[in-house]
Amino acid sequence: MKLPSPRGPVSDAVIAALVQAPHDFSAGDPDSDDDLHLTLFVLYELHYRGWDGVDDTWEWHPALLGLRARLEARFEAILRELPVPEATDDVPHALIEMTRETGGPSLSGYLRGRATREQFREFATHRSVYHLREADPHTFAIPRLAGPAKAALIEVQIDEYGGGVTHRMHQEMFKDTMTALGLDSTYGAYVDVVPWQTLANNNLMSLFGLHRRLRGALLGHLAAYEMTSTGPNRSYGNALRRLGGDAAATRFYDEHVEADAVHEQIAAFDMCGSFCAAEPELAADVLFGARCVLTLEDRWAEYVLSRWEAGESSLRT
């Protein structure tokens, strides 16, 4: 993946450093959400597939880790201000109640009934940042779990990775959707054009995934993701069919309608329920992770819809 263009002083300093051999450097504070989240995204990507022309030893460089910790603390402090339900002995049903909330804007409803083909292409562009590496952030939790919770997470992840069959991997299915829409399916092709709200959604799961102390939050994130997936993906598939998409184009969404109907039960009860039974002191973290993803997704949807309703693109120009 090619390094993106900077969006402020900190992302500028980091990107300028990464094209050189590893060395000590310092950076100040981000001057905007764009600068903060692009910098975090660039730093997190070093733990995934890396950047073209960037020395892999940067991944664990002390200067980068120190900067990342400072930016993460700023991001997490904002997240900790979100209202979270009281910890309970029945986390699965608490998750069910949280995911039944309907206070946010219905982006899926807009796409199903009103969106133009260009707007659907924009939607896919936003989502490509995650879907082209779908499941990878949550896989970080596997070695941090044991027993039934670990088995349940692996059951979900096996489906995400297509049971080991390349063309059935959700990452690969989404490439077919992008190709049908005339989009570039190269990994990370659209990082430069998505707004900070899209990057924040991706940074959230990386923040949870890369810290063992936040393993409960990562499971809550995944559970909320799976538990709110079936209906929207049905709408996305129907929207794309309305806009002329064929079976190959809609396969990604249709697959999620079927798979996530099963995953939501596994994630809530077998994964999160078992995890909280084994580590009850982390039950609040599970609910925190769910609240974070539900809130950030709502805010992202609100941003996208506000731009479309104003007759503007939701992407950066």
Side-chain angles (χ1 to χ4, degrees):
M1 183 157 58
K2 295 179 180 178
L3 281 165
S5 300
R7 302 188 191 180
V10 181
S11 54
D12 189 23
V14 168
I15 290 168
L18 289 178
V19 298
Q20 305 174 49
H23 61 279
D24 289 333
F25 79 102
S26 60
D29 295 322
D31 65 358
S32 64
D33 289 321
D34 256 324
D35 195 26
L36 169 66
H37 284 289
L38 180 65
T39 305
L40 277 174
F41 188 88
V42 168
L43 295 175
Y44 284 145
E45 184 57 32
L46 295 171
H47 299 286
Y48 291 97
R49 303 188 202 178
W51 298 99
D52 293 349
V54 173
D55 192 320
D56 285 341
T57 58
W58 270 117
E59 180 182 5
W60 298 107
H61 194 282
L64 289 189
L65 295 179
L67 172 62
R68 198 188 86 191
R70 183 156 53 85
L71 299 181
E72 286 176 329
R74 180 168 173 167
F75 184 26
E76 188 174 346
I78 296 170
L79 297 172
R80 292 291 177 183
E81 295 177 358
L82 298 176
V84 179
E86 293 291 330
T88 172
D89 293 335
D90 191 356
V91 167
H93 283 96
L95 289 170
I96 291 171
E97 290 302 314
M98 291 175 69
T99 55
R100 282 177 177 170
E101 297 172 3
T102 57
S106 180
L107 179 59
S108 61
Y110 182 95
L111 288 165
R112 182 184 64 246
R114 296 175 54 192
T116 64
R117 185 175 177 85
E118 185 56 34
Q119 287 171 335
F120 199 98
R121 291 178 79 252
E122 285 191 12
F123 167 72
T125 298
H126 286 282
R127 289 306 202 191
S128 70
V129 180
Y130 169 61
H131 285 322
L132 291 178
R133 68 177 181 199
E134 185 162 337
D136 293 349
H138 299 110
T139 299
F140 282 118
I142 291 176
R144 295 168 179 166
L145 303 178
K150 184 171 191 168
L153 174 57
I154 290 172
E155 184 176 357
V156 171
Q157 297 299 83
I158 285 174
D159 281 348
E160 301 289 341
Y161 292 123
V165 179
T166 301
H167 74 271
R168 293 178 57 197
M169 293 172 62
H170 292 181
Q171 299 174 3
E172 296 298 316
M173 288 184 186
F174 195 71
K175 288 183 180 180
D176 294 337
T177 299
M178 296 188 75
T179 299
L181 290 167
L183 295 170
D184 185 351
S185 64
T186 304
Y187 178 79
Y190 293 109
V191 171
D192 250 335
V193 301
V194 298
W196 69 265
Q197 291 91 338
T198 303
L199 297 179
N201 283 336
N202 286 271
N203 288 340
L204 179 66
M205 57 188 93
S206 294
L207 170 67
F208 293 162
L210 290 170
H211 291 274
R212 182 180 177 276
R213 68 180 176 86
L214 295 172
R215 61 193 180 279
L218 184 64
L219 297 188
H221 182 289
L222 176 58
Y225 223 76
E226 298 292 338
M227 295 168 73
T228 56
S229 173
T230 302
N233 274 292
R234 181 179 291 110
S235 293
Y236 303 149
N238 289 338
L240 193 47
R241 273 183 282 272
R242 174 178 64 81
L243 296 168
D246 60 13
T250 64
R251 186 167 66 112
F252 173 84
Y253 301 114
D254 296 338
E255 169 69 17
H256 280 75
V257 172
E258 180 178 345
D260 292 351
V262 177
H263 289 175
E264 63 182 73
Q265 299 299 314
I266 298 172
F269 291 93
D270 300 337
M271 185 179 72
C272 289
S274 297
F275 175 76
C276 291
E279 301 190 66
E281 70 279 6
L282 296 182
D285 282 359
V286 174
L287 300 180
F288 168 67
R291 171 58 64 210
C292 288
V293 64
L294 293 172
T295 300
L296 265 60
E297 284 287 322
D298 279 350
R299 291 177 179 176
W300 169 76
E302 182 178 359
Y303 167 79
V304 171
L305 286 173
S306 69
R307 294 296 295 267
W308 287 350
E309 290 170 356
E312 301 173 346
S313 171
S314 63
L315 301 174
R316 301 174 75 244
T317 57

